[in-house]
């Protein structure tokens, strides 16, 4: 007799896709950060962000998390994509928001690393939830070929 599979309620997570723009407004490089030691998937590369707190909007959570983790203050953020990922440790609903304006120096407050990337990304390994984002970038930008290195 098989046990029914337990449906885990996803945890909502705000994810910042910081993108540089050129003088004509064309999107350029984007920011990836590594997961710090002591966290699940430590050393994997991802787009920065974190969990929403009770009553928080996705933008408010993103602004708070990016200030806590990176020391920056963001301007507006723009809803882009949403994705539910099942990891062994959690089921998460990732709310990806593009950010084009920020201020303040980057401070890696959790001991993580950062890298400005373009396709294909050099930083490896990338978190499984990051791979679809790289594919979305590729589709938007007409990129042909791999989006990341293994």
């Amino acid at each position: 007799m098989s046990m029914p599979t337990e449906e885990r309620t996803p945890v909502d997570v705000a994810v910042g896709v910081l993108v540089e723009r050129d003088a004509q407004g064309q999107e350029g490089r984007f920011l990836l950060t590594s997961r710090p030691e002591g966290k699940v998937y430590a050393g994997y590369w991802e787009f920065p962000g974190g969990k929403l707190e009770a009553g928080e909007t996705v933008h408010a959570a993103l602004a708070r998390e990016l200030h806590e983790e990176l020391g920056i203050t963001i301007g507006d953020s723009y809803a882009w994509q949403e994705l539910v990922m099942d990891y062994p440790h959690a089921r998460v609903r990732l709310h990806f928001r593009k950010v084009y304006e920020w201020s303040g120096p980057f401070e890696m407050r959790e001991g993580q690393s950062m890298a400005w990337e373009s396709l294909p990304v050099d930083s490896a390994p990338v978190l499984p939830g990051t791979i679809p984002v790289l594919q979305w970038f590729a589709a938007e930008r007409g990129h042909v070929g791999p989006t990341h290195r293994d």
Side-chain angles (χ1 to χ4, degrees):
M1 184 171 167
S2 65
M3 298 293 291
T5 47
E6 182 182 326
E7 184 68 21
R8 298 184 294 171
T9 302
V11 174
D12 286 298
V13 175
V15 184
V17 182
L18 277 67
V19 182
E20 293 179 325
R21 279 185 167 160
D22 65 19
Q24 290 76 39
Q26 294 295 310
E27 291 187 0
R29 299 182 310 166
F30 48 88
L31 182 75
L32 291 180
T33 58
S34 64
R35 291 186 59 79
E37 289 303 316
K39 286 199 175 181
V40 177
Y41 287 102
Y44 278 72
W45 290 83
E46 65 179 351
F47 292 91
K51 295 177 192 147
L52 275 67
E53 293 179 355
E56 221 175 14
T57 65
V58 176
H59 175 80
L62 184 60
R64 177 184 50 77
E65 286 284 345
L66 293 182
H67 190 262
E68 288 174 3
E69 293 178 15
L70 307 179
I72 61 170
T73 300
I74 63 169
D76 291 335
S77 67
Y78 304 90
W80 184 37
Q81 301 277 0
E82 197 174 290
L83 175 68
V84 174
M85 287 292 298
D86 277 305
Y87 289 107
H89 68 286
R91 179 179 172 96
V92 291
R93 180 181 296 110
L94 303 169
H95 300 269
F96 294 97
R97 297 183 70 87
K98 285 190 178 181
V99 178
Y100 300 105
E101 295 177 12
W102 54 88
S103 60
F106 284 90
E107 302 169 18
M108 299 296 106
R109 295 181 171 178
E110 296 182 342
Q112 72 275 43
S113 297
M114 64 177 274
W116 287 102
E117 290 280 6
S118 54
L119 296 174
V121 299
D122 289 321
S123 300
V126 294
L127 200 63
T130 298
I131 294 169
V133 185
L134 301 176
Q135 294 167 340
W136 298 329
F137 267 137
E140 280 187 356
R141 297 174 179 198
H143 177 82
V144 178
T147 57
H148 64 287
R149 307 192 194 296
D150 293 325

